[in-house]
Structures are given as structure tokens and as C-alpha cells.
Amino acid sequence: FAEMGRQHYGGDLKGKWILTAGLGGMGGAQPLAAVMAGAHCIAIEVQESRIEKRLETRYLDRRATSIDEALEIIRTVSEPTSVGLLGNAAEILPEMLKRGIKPDALTDQTSAHDPLHGYLPLGWNVAEWRAKQESDPKAVEKAARESMKTHVAAMGDFWNAGVPTLDYGNNIRQLVKD
């Protein structure tokens, strides 16, 4: 994030905010990294347990259950702050675009490299997803890949709107291309 700040914001991320998704595994470090680089961070995550874990380990500062709540937190807190936003990036990114909400940077570190176990399909809840991983794994993978198309399209729209946009080694763009 510091390098992104150097490349796009003269090295100063103060007052900027980064939008990302994925708080599992390596993605869990993103909120802390953003704050350490001087930015606010909103990190979208579908599993409440992952948000809770990041709060407990202090890699995350706050939680929110809506876009408006997350934005209000970063608007009203003066120090760099990270917010775990419960939701699905494939739903939230298009909604933000529709509402004209533009982060200063966008990235993704969902577990898209594993469409069966790592990416919740749009419109599904976690319990349904877990059950279908066992009963109908092909349907889960197909629905996850379709959702990734929506997610990556929104990332492209942010990029086209001038928002520095990148993924972080999760292969989401390649999965959509395939």
C-alpha cells in the first residue's frame, strides 16, 4: 500500500481510503497494512467469523454491516482506521459504483483461487454455500465463477473511473478469463 501511495498520491495516503475484499489467510493483514501506510481501509468479508478474528487479533479496528455505516466510520475518525464490512464484494462493488462512491484505491484478496471453498456465490448465504460444497460442488464452482465475473467487471469499472485497481495474487482475473 505504501508503494501504491508513492505511485499515485505523492507518497501520502493521509485522508485516503482503500477498498478491498477478503479477510481470510493472507488477506487478513490488509487492514493493518493500510493503516500502517496511513490510509483508512474498508475490507469486505462474507464470513462474520473472519471479521471477529481480525478484530480479536487487532488487525482490524471496527466492523460494519452496511456501506453507509462503513463510510460513516472512516468519515468521522481522524486517525487511519480499518473497517470490516460484512457482505459480498460481488454485490457491494457494483452498488458503490451505482451510488457514485469511489475509493482512492481498490484491491482484492478474496480466496478466488479456490472457487469451491474460497468464494461465496452472489445471493447465497454461508450456510447454503457450505452445504452445497458437499452436495453439489460443481454448482458452487459455476456460481462462484459467475459471481467473479460481476466482481471483476466492477473492478474494471473502478479502474476506468481512475481508481488505482489491482488484485493481489488470488488469480481472480484469470479465473474470470478462463
Side-chain angles (χ1 to χ4, degrees), residues 1-11 164:
F1 291 139
E3 180 59 28
M4 184 271 310
R6 279 191 285 279
Q7 288 184 24
H8 296 280
Y9 295 107

Side-chain angles (χ1 to χ4, degrees), residues 40-168:
H40 294 294
C41 178
I42 295 176
I44 304 163
E45 173 56 54
V46 298
Q47 295 184 67
E48 193 164 359
S49 63
R50 288 186 173 173
I51 293 173
E52 289 301 317
K53 179 173 176 104
R54 299 307 173 206
L55 287 165
E56 289 170 15
T57 57
R58 300 178 51 113
Y59 275 64
L60 189 63
D61 298 315
R62 306 275 296 272
R63 84 184 70 160
T65 58
S66 73
I67 294 169
D68 293 329
E69 181 183 8
L71 291 171
E72 183 66 18
I73 291 168
I74 65 170
R75 268 197 289 261
T76 59
V77 176
S78 58
E79 293 298 314
T81 301
S82 59
V83 180
L85 174 56
L86 184 62
N88 190 322
E91 179 182 325
I92 290 173
L93 267 61
E95 178 62 22
M96 286 183 162
L97 281 163
K98 183 174 135 186
R99 292 169 52 182
I101 299 167
K102 278 178 51 174
D104 296 296
L106 172 67
T107 187
D108 181 70
Q109 204 169 14
T110 58
S111 297
H113 62 279
D114 180 359
L116 177 59
H117 298 106
Y119 197 93
L120 178 72
L122 233 137
W124 293 29
N125 64 46
V126 174
E128 175 185 18
W129 178 43
R130 295 259 186 255
K132 287 191 177 179
Q133 287 170 354
E134 296 296 321
S135 67
D136 197 354
K138 289 193 184 307
V140 174
E141 286 193 28
K142 182 178 181 199
R145 288 174 189 271
E146 286 300 314
S147 298
M148 287 180 210
K149 287 181 188 178
T150 300
H151 185 160
V152 170
M155 291 176 74
D157 289 343
F158 275 115
W159 171 260
N160 290 329
V163 175
T165 302
L166 54 136
D167 64 27
Y168 195 71

